[in-house]
């Protein structure tokens, strides 16, 4: 498929993270570029894959501007350091306001987005319909299943209108049918706006590769402390991006093996 990579949208440079003397992350460097496809509104989907406990959530917090690295920088659009609020964040535990109904939580998010002024309700109902949550808008988070909370949390972050959407382990704890639906929805989100960039942090290799255009594999290098990026895989170049039903393709299966070898 035809595509070009243009402007740098996000740049991670020499990020290190220590807790006391223990190094968690070491020399993390990568760039996310704008992908342009002729005649398409193509956003970016990037996954950071690693074993559990490797430091993904710590990196996630740094990318979101919620945590500071011990050294190094994360910059977005024209070398601006990222700060809290620049990115939509969907946490692993699908944080919602427990004392507010889903609708009022979503309304609060929509009101922060100037592009939705006067159209907040319409936008909420449209997303709720797409994400199969219309009937649950009046409910409180504790009345929802894990999958429903997750979808509500994704909508909440999309209503915010940020160009970046960061998701920590979005595929865990979902049953297989819900998982397929979430993958489909996230792909739709990545096609809804050229500027939208999804950054997914996950230990689920198969689903991450199925949904992404680029994956970074986080792992330990022998004899060195902390997790670093051991491999970058450009799935566009392998013709594995933007396709449905790729899980049976040889190139897909080979890619999973290649990633497993690095974990
Ligand atoms: N506040 C903290 N103080 C010390 N170590 C921490 C703290 N938070 C996380 N860690 C350590 O950082 C490492 C990475 O954790 P995390 O990013 O949550 O892993 P992942 O998300 O990949 O499962 C773990 O070894 C964890 O024990
Ligand atoms: Mg984690």
């Amino acid at each position: 498929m035809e595509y070009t990579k243009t402007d740098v949208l996000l740049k991670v440079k020499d990020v290190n993270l220590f807790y006391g003397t223990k190094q968690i992350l070491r020399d993390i460097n990568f760039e996310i570029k704008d992908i342009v496809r002729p005649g398409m509104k193509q956003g970016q989907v990037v996954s950071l894959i690693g074993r559990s406990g490797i430091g993904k959530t710590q990196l996630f917090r740094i990318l979101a501007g919620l945590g500071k690295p011990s050294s190094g920088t994360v910059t977005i659009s024209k070398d601006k350091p990222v700060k809290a609020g620049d990115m939509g964040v969907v946490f692993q535990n699908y944080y919602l306001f427990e004392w507010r109904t889903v609708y009022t939580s979503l309304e609060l998010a929509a009101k922060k987005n100037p592009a939705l002024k006067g159209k907040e309700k319409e936008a909420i109902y449209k997303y709720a319909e797409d994400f199969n949550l219309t009937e649950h808008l009046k409910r409180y988070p504790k009345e929802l299943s894990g999958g429903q909370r997750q979808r509500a949390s994704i909508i909440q972050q999309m209503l915010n209108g940020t160009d970046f959407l960061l998701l920590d382990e979005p595929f865990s704890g979902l049953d297989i049918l819900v998982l397929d639906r979430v993958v489909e929805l996230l792909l739709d989100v990545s096609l809804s706006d050229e500027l939208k960039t999804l950054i997914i942090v996950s230990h689920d290799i198969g689903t991450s590769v199925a949904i992404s255009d680029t994956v970074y594999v986080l792992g330990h290098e022998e004899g060195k402390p902390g997790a670093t990026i051991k491999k970058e895989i450009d799935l566009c170049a392998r013709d594995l991006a933007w396709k449905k039903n790729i899980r049976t393709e040889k190139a897909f299966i080979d890619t999973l093996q290649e990633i497993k070898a690095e974990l």
Side-chain angles (χ1 to χ4, degrees), residues 17-20 22-25 49-61 92 168-169 201-203 218 220 227:
L17 179 71
F18 289 86
Y19 275 117
K22 186 183 171 198
Q23 187 156 21
I24 310 288
L25 301 171
I49 302 175
R51 279 179 190 270
S52 135
I54 197 91
K56 298 185 299 298
T57 297
Q58 298 305 315
L59 182 55
F60 173 92
R61 291 179 47 79
Q92 198 169 358
D168 193 0
E169 302 283 4
V201 162
S202 174
H203 67 265
L218 275 173
H220 290 295

Side-chain angles (χ1 to χ4, degrees), residues 73-89:
T73 53
V74 177
T75 49
I76 52 174
S77 61
K78 304 205 174 54
D79 300 329
K80 199 163 59 87
V82 73
K83 57 177 195 324
D86 284 339
M87 299 195 176
V89 281

